[in-house]
Amino acid sequence: MTSLPALHRARAGDAVRAENPLRAGTVAFYPGSFDPLTIGHVNIVERGLRVFDRVVMALAHNVNKQAMFTLEERRDHIREVFAHDARVSVTVFEGLLVEAAVAHGATAVLRGLRGVADFEYEFQMSTMNHLLAPELETVFMMTEKGHFFVSSQLVREVASLGGDVALLVPAPVLAALAARLRK
Ligand code: PNS
């Protein structure tokens, strides 16, 4: 049986909440490359906000990945898309995801799952993250049925070949893609 002291043991995020009442509530850390942000990502954030009080979108600084948009551009896209909702913020992190998540007072890492193709990689990552920070849970949301085929990689490929991606990305990203590909 779980002991009372164990039940009351502090969890990641409690310290931040106790220090600053304005930061009260549950925080999900939603990491990714978001290169670019798609309607699939937006949907995960919106549904994440039904479960968590705040979502911190966390742009990973990955030197090994060739990106289409700079970190600053991607951060600006996210800011513009979620400008109407103070519950969503964006940060850029380097190093271990779990350390950045705990530093932001998150109790969970939020990730979308499109299907079995995502599963293996996500299972490995969440298991590794749990080993590194057992107090941090990973919460997966199944992608909405109309979004299972949407990926940043396909959006980049289709857009750069002249295909129409208007239904797959939010308006600021569509404008940025058009501007980038005109160059
Ligand atoms: O959108 P992506 O590219 O699939 O996101 C991958 C991301 C950023 C979640 C992953 O690369 C990551 O967590 N990077 C941070 C470095 C880290 O903590 N690595 C160990 C994870 S098991």
Side-chain angles (χ1 to χ4, degrees):
M1 204 171 101
T2 315
S3 66
L4 266 182
L7 283 172
H8 290 288
R9 199 171 292 145
R11 287 179 164 262
D14 285 356
V16 176
R17 284 196 288 277
E19 277 164 25
N20 184 352
L22 286 177
R23 291 172 66 86
T26 51
V27 179
F29 200 72
Y30 181 24
S33 305
F34 306 114
D35 184 39
L37 184 73
T38 70
I39 54 161
H41 298 131
V42 173
N43 179 256
I44 295 295
V45 173
E46 285 169 349
R47 288 167 50 220
L49 286 168
R50 294 188 194 145
V51 181
F52 299 97
D53 297 308
R54 291 195 294 120
V55 172
V56 178
M57 296 190 70
L59 273 162
H61 180 59
N62 188 347
V63 281
N64 299 321
K65 232 175 176 178
Q66 184 72 35
M68 181 176 208
F69 292 104
T70 66
L71 279 170
E72 291 73 23
E73 287 168 329
R74 285 178 267 158
R75 186 193 56 198
D76 291 348
H77 299 157
I78 293 171
R79 279 192 181 148
E80 199 173 337
V81 170
F82 292 103
H84 63 283
D85 197 335
R87 296 172 300 168
V88 183
S89 58
V90 58
T91 188
V92 175
F93 76 99
E94 234 177 328
L96 279 180
L97 159 71
V98 291
E99 285 181 0
V102 170
H104 278 81
T107 49
V109 173
L110 179 64
R111 291 285 284 176
L113 266 187
R114 281 168 299 201
V116 285
D118 284 343
F119 183 80
E120 196 74 32
Y121 172 59
E122 296 294 339
F123 187 34
Q124 277 184 345
M125 268 205 311
S126 64
T127 307
M128 181 62 79
N129 286 335
H130 193 254
L131 189 76
L132 294 168
E135 74 277 28
L136 203 59
E137 297 293 343
T138 300
V139 172
F140 292 106
M141 290 214 161
M142 297 307 298
T143 305
E144 259 182 24
K145 60 182 181 307
H147 296 161
F148 75 94
F149 65 98
V150 181
S151 73
S152 295
Q153 190 198 328
L154 268 187
V155 164
R156 288 196 304 273
E157 185 175 327
V158 171
S160 56
L161 294 171
D164 185 3
V165 293
L167 294 177
L168 309 181
V169 294
V173 173
L174 190 64
L177 279 169
R180 177 59 45 90
L181 297 168
R182 265 198 307 272
K183 278 185 187 166

